[in-house]
């Protein structure tokens, strides 16, 4: 009921840019209501539904809205929701089809969080195929805590080798062994050779025998972001700086046109801050440090 009321307010609201509903019971019905509001609302840039009992029906409604209507939502986090637990064959086919469309067809999404959603190797196969689409817009894909094995990673990497937009991938806390790490390493090398490098792959708490095998952008760490509103605000700044009408076409931010912003270790200042992932310093108006730009 609460989510439905929020959805009604969103339909007429032109001010809210980030909505955090974490740790509630929005469920499928509430998610569908929010999806309906996003068909009309054109100002919301970020939506977080962390641990909200969102199932397959809610995911399908939200994804369909983003594919068919919405062109403004940049950030969608669905961490810890039972999205891929359905055992009904027809519902599962519909779910996988929708997942593929969300990634392969043009949307505004840059960040998609599907951590701890019971996503497995079959879903990775669908994602891998969808990533090959030239219309894919995703820059950051979070698949942590999902029980993904080397089979799923292999399918993902087949798609990533053809993809040009994904720069950040979180695979921490899965079931990936040394074999899977080798596959990821080859994918990273292939992307480097093509001039479209992956910037960071998080791999902490997998089954690789020796995490020191992780080299380059593959790191033994877990991705974290401090505040969704800060992420969205930085994206908005970044979008303005890199727009065709901007006079800052030669700025450091422009050279990283597909990179999400670095996360500072401390609050931003007028001058700049230190990147949390590589400790590289970056100054305003840039939003990505020199080390991450590479």
């Amino acid at each position: 009921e609460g989510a439905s009321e929020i959805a009604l307010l969103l339909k007429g609201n032109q001010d809210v840019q980030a909505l955090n509903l974490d740790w509630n019971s929005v469920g499928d019905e509430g998610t569908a209501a929010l999806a309906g509001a996003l068909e009309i609302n054109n100002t919301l840039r970020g939506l977080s539904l962390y641990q909200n009992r969102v199932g397959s029906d809610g995911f399908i409604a939200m994804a369909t809205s983003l594919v068919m209507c919405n062109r403004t939502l940049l950030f969608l986090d669905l961490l810890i929701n039972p999205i891929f637990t359905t055992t009904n064959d027809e519902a599962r086919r519909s779910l996988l089809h929708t997942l593929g469309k969300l990634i392969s067809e043009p949307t505004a999404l840059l960040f998609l969080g599907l951590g701890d959603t019971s996503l497995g190797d079959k879903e990775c196969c669908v994602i891998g195929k969808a990533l090959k689409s030239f219309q894919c817009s995703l820059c950051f894909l979070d698949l942590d805590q999902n029980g993904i094995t080397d089979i799923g990673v292999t399918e993902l990497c087949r798609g990533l080798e053809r993809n040009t937009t994904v720069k950040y991938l979180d695979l921490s806390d899965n079931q990936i062994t040394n074999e899977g790490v080798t596959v990821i390493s080859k994918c990273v090398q292939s992307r480097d050779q093509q001039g479209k490098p992956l910037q960071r792959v998080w791999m902490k708490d997998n089954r690789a025998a020796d995490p020191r095998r992780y080299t380059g952008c593959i790191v033994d760490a877990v991705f974290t972001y401090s505040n969704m509103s800060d992420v969205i605000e930085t994206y908005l700044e970044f979008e303005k700086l890199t727009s065709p009408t901007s006079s800052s076409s030669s700025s450091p931010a422009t050279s990283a046109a597909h990179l999400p912003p670095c996360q500072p270790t401390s609050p931003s200042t007028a001058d700049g801050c230190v990147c949390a992932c590589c400790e590289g310093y970056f100054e305003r108006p840039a939003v990505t440090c020199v080390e991450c730009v590479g």
Side-chain angles (χ1 to χ4, degrees), residues 8 11 16 27 47 51 84 88 98 112 137 168 175 245 293:
L8 286 174
K11 288 182 178 181
V16 176
L47 175 61
Q51 196 156 353
F84 299 100
N88 180 281
T98 305
L112 178 59
S137 64
Y168 291 77
Q175 301 296 314
T245 57
V293 173

Side-chain angles (χ1 to χ4, degrees), residues 2 15 17 31 33 48 56 85 98-99 126 138 147 167 169 183 186 194 204 207-208 213 246 255 259 269 284:
D15 298 317
Q17 295 187 347
T31 304
S48 186
S56 58
T85 58
T98 305
L99 173 64
V126 172
L138 286 181
K167 306 293 183 184
L169 177 64
V183 172
K186 290 180 178 178
Q194 297 174 61
K204 190 174 180 63
R207 296 178 61 189
R213 292 167 61 97
S246 172
S255 65
L259 295 180
T269 66
R284 302 297 181 192

Side-chain angles (χ1 to χ4, degrees), residues 64-166:
T64 300
S65 174
L66 297 181
V67 170
M68 300 299 294
C69 303
N70 185 277
R71 291 295 180 270
T72 54
L73 195 75
L74 303 175
F75 180 107
L76 177 62
D77 196 354
L78 294 166
L79 178 69
I80 313 182
N81 282 292
I83 293 171
F84 299 100
T85 58
T86 181
T87 56
N88 180 281
D89 290 341
E90 183 176 350
R92 187 157 184 78
R93 281 194 296 271
S94 178
L95 179 60
L96 294 179
H97 176 70
T98 305
L99 173 64
K101 287 175 70 70
L102 178 61
I103 295 172
S104 66
E105 298 197 8
T107 69
L109 272 187
L110 297 177
F111 181 109
L112 178 59
L114 293 174
D116 201 352
T117 55
S118 298
L119 181 149
D121 291 338
K122 287 185 177 180
E123 287 78 17
C124 284
C125 182
V126 172
I127 293 172
K129 290 179 179 177
L131 287 173
K132 296 177 183 179
S133 170
F134 72 92
Q135 298 184 105
C136 176
S137 64
L138 286 181
C139 188
F140 194 122
L141 183 59
D142 180 2
L143 302 176
D144 73 307
Q145 303 180 67
N146 270 309
I148 298 168
T149 72
D150 296 340
I151 295 173
V153 161
T154 300
E155 297 300 327
L156 277 176
C157 287
R158 285 175 178 165
L160 283 170
E161 287 187 10
R162 297 266 297 275
N163 180 274
T164 61
T165 61
V166 174

Side-chain angles (χ1 to χ4, degrees), residues 227-247:
N227 184 288
M228 181 185 66
S229 296
D230 290 343
V231 173
I232 299 305
E233 182 178 343
T234 312
Y235 269 131
L236 292 174
E237 176 188 354
F238 181 71
E239 184 181 64
K240 180 176 67 176
L241 288 169
T242 57
S243 67
T245 57
S246 172
S247 59

